[in-house]
Amino acid sequence: MKYLSKFHKHLKQLREEKHLTIDDISVICQVDVTVVNAWESTQEDKRCFPSIDNLIDLCLKTGTQLDALLELNYDHEDEEQLELPGLAFIDENDVNLSLDHLQKEIEKLLPTDDELELLKRFRRSDDENKKLILQLMN
């Protein structure tokens, strides 16, 4: 977890700068307060790390650049850096622009309210109606 080696310090600093509580962070990331406490733990054996979804939520919902939470000044040149397939950086100097772009691309893939309603109705249908619906779609 070379990129998250100082995450616990960065998260605490973020909370203090933004006047956020541990409860606020738990709501932002949709995790239990005990998880956020483990993220900030100073004891390595009790510390855990956020998922990429949690990191993106923190960045987008607090207006924080990803590099403020990660340890990007890693000294070991012989180790490869993290590659995120499918994430093309728009501007290498501003990861937030890339995250905004990624968020927009994700939103394009999410079903609309009408599509969700159709899916719900399909799931509630009996097998015969499901077959008819599938035939109509082909």
Side-chain angles (χ1 to χ4, degrees):
M1 290 296 192
K2 61 185 175 185
Y3 300 102
L4 296 172
S5 62
K6 295 184 181 174
F7 176 78
H8 63 289
K9 292 178 183 177
H10 296 304
L11 179 58
K12 186 172 184 177
Q13 182 180 0
L14 168 71
R15 282 195 315 100
E16 290 171 353
E17 288 173 2
K18 302 275 185 180
H19 305 289
L20 297 170
T21 65
I22 289 177
D23 288 326
D24 295 332
I25 299 296
S26 73
V27 170
I28 286 171
C29 295
Q30 299 177 2
V31 297
D32 193 76
V33 174
T34 58
V35 173
V36 179
N37 280 325
W39 290 348
E40 282 193 17
S41 179
T42 56
Q43 299 174 0
E44 286 188 40
D45 61 327
K46 294 187 179 181
R47 190 178 306 146
C48 70
F49 300 98
S51 69
I52 189 70
D53 289 336
N54 298 139
L55 286 172
I56 291 173
D57 282 341
L58 276 171
C59 291
L60 293 176
K61 294 178 183 177
T62 64
T64 303
Q65 292 187 5
L66 182 60
D67 59 356
L69 297 172
L70 301 179
E71 187 61 33
L72 298 177
N73 297 326
Y74 197 73
D75 294 333
H76 302 345
E77 292 180 15
D78 57 331
E79 294 183 27
E80 291 184 28
Q81 293 291 317
L82 176 66
E83 296 281 334
L84 297 176
L87 181 60
F89 290 104
I90 297 168
D91 180 346
E92 291 181 15
N93 296 321
D94 190 356
V95 177
N96 275 337
L97 287 177
S98 296
L99 290 173
D100 289 342
H101 177 74
L102 178 62
Q103 182 68 30
K104 288 176 185 172
E105 291 300 314
I106 290 171
E107 287 172 0
K108 288 180 188 177
L109 299 173
L110 294 175
T112 65
D113 290 340
D114 290 339
E115 291 169 328
L116 286 173
E117 182 59 34
L118 286 172
L119 181 58
K120 287 178 188 175
R121 289 182 183 186
F122 177 79
R123 288 181 175 167
R124 289 189 299 246
S125 297
D126 61 23
D127 288 339
E128 187 63 32
N129 283 336
K130 285 180 183 179
K131 287 179 187 175
L132 290 172
I133 292 169
L134 292 173
Q135 286 175 352
L136 288 172
M137 290 177 62
N138 288 330

